[in-house]
Amino acid sequence: MITDVPGVLVGHHERVGDGWATGTTVVLVPEGAVGAVDQRGGAPGTRETNLLEPENLVQRVNAVCLSGGSAYGLAAADGVMRWLAERNLGFPVGTQPHEVVPIVPAAVLFDLPRSEWGNRPDASFGYAACEAASGSFALGTVGAGAGAAVGSLKGGIGSASEVVGEFTVGALAAVNAAGEAVDLTTGRAYAADHGEFGVTWPSRAADLPSRRTDLNTTIGVVAVDAALSKAEARRLAVAAQDGLARAVRPAHSMFDGDTVFALATGAHELPDASGPFGAAARPAALDALCSAAARVFARAMVHGLLAATTAGGVPAYRDVWPEAFA
């Protein structure tokens, strides 16, 4: 899980049923983390991403808000800010402890067709997700993945992690892409070779109804317990997008606003030029973390697919190929 990275917490809040299939996921870093972002595709919905550019003032973020609801769902970040402000967590702008501005970048995915019109996350979703945040969290049709879909199938929240030397790299993905995550002629996930997923991949085609996928967007976070600059953290987000592209085909289309945030908590320093590898030591260590970021994001995508349950009229993988879980 992404929460294998110390200092990272995750919380969900969703509504599913009675005309609802949407929600919000918050990745909290109460102690703060260096933040960055990489956005691809032609239809993004984001908030507070410009401040993550390396040349800009703010270095650390307090949370990342991922939400359904398309652009309406950006309102969920208001609730995250309120929760953080009540705890005096944010960028100091005055002399008193409560005089802070919480830094909460956000991104949304398009899931409006899965709910009755007008049913979408608001500030209360973001606040409730913060209240639920912990080191243990559910996958699948929860939080920002409640109304997600990937190609012909139900999408959802997935997560994965990997240890690289003394570092831990983790990812969380809200899987909601225009492209397919599965070879529909065999039932095998495109990123199946990235890990052991506890299933026996089937070998048969599925008879699935056609589904319009005009607007989508996969959003997520990759985190590491390394001390990185904003520019180095952005390289981590760039690499994680490669993992997304391994997991869905096509990726980064004009109808996806794929956005991946990076968080670096700073617990461990990268090697410097004083070691035996000289000036190449730091970029080589960063490159190893980036390679891991691509792998864990691809694995998170598969876990989001496999953990999802049918909702909003979109069939889940486990219902189409139940034999995979036997």
Side-chain angles (χ1 to χ4, degrees):
M1 296 286 207
I2 192 173
T3 49
D4 292 334
V5 179
V8 177
L9 307 174
V10 172
H12 302 305
H13 183 70
E14 69 283 330
R15 289 190 64 177
V16 178
D18 296 325
W20 289 81
T22 190
T24 298
T25 296
V26 174
V27 180
L28 276 179
V29 276
E31 301 302 316
V34 170
V37 67
D38 184 71
Q39 190 281 312
R40 304 190 188 186
T46 57
R47 166 173 166 161
E48 297 278 46
T49 52
N50 282 354
L51 66 79
L52 298 178
E53 295 294 335
E55 68 271 19
N56 289 337
L57 173 67
V58 173
Q59 298 296 307
R60 300 176 72 81
V61 306
N62 305 107
V64 173
C65 180
L66 309 174
S67 188
S70 190
Y72 295 107
L74 290 171
D78 291 339
V80 182
M81 288 190 69
R82 180 164 65 87
W83 191 90
L84 290 164
E86 290 174 355
R87 291 154 180 79
N88 301 335
L89 298 174
F91 184 78
V93 294
T95 59
Q96 300 301 312
H98 67 276
E99 295 176 338
V100 299
V101 177
I103 306 301
V104 185
V108 292
L109 55 80
F110 185 82
D111 61 358
L112 296 179
R114 262 71 77 192
S115 298
E116 292 180 5
W117 189 256
N119 290 350
R120 55 236 183 188
D122 57 17
S124 69
F125 277 63
Y127 193 95
C130 291
E131 288 282 276
S134 72
S136 178
F137 61 97
L139 302 181
T141 306
V142 293
V150 54
S152 304
L153 299 166
K154 184 71 179 68
I157 295 290
S159 192
S161 68
E162 178 179 329
V163 174
V164 183
E166 64 178 323
F167 304 101
T168 301
V169 181
L172 180 144
V175 184
N176 187 69
E180 299 285 356
V182 174
D183 181 343
L184 298 180
T185 65
T186 66
R188 183 178 176 85
Y190 286 128
D193 60 346
H194 277 63
E196 297 295 328
F197 296 102
V199 299
T200 301
W201 297 110
S203 183
R204 67 171 177 86
D207 181 18
L208 287 166
S210 61
R211 187 181 71 83
R212 286 191 63 182
T213 57
D214 291 347
L215 298 168
N216 295 272
T217 296
T218 293
I219 51 181
V221 179
V222 60
V224 65
D225 54 357
L228 304 180
S229 68
K230 288 170 75 175
E232 290 169 332
R234 185 172 185 276
R235 293 301 308 172
L236 208 69
V238 168
Q241 292 272 20
D242 293 338
L244 189 162
R246 296 173 192 175
V248 295
R249 302 178 186 178
H252 309 139
S253 76
M254 284 297 294
F255 305 104
D256 292 291
D258 301 329
T259 301
V260 178
F261 296 94
L263 298 172
T265 65
H268 303 290
E269 295 287 342
L270 293 184
D272 59 29
S274 63
F277 298 101
R282 187 177 183 92
L286 176 62
D287 191 60
L289 297 179
C290 289
S291 295
R295 291 191 294 270
V296 296
F297 205 89
R299 287 171 52 215
M301 295 281 287
V302 178
H303 283 301
L305 168 78
L306 296 178
T309 53
T310 297
V314 184
Y317 184 96
R318 61 180 55 247
D319 294 328
V320 177
W321 286 283
E323 67 269 29
F325 300 87

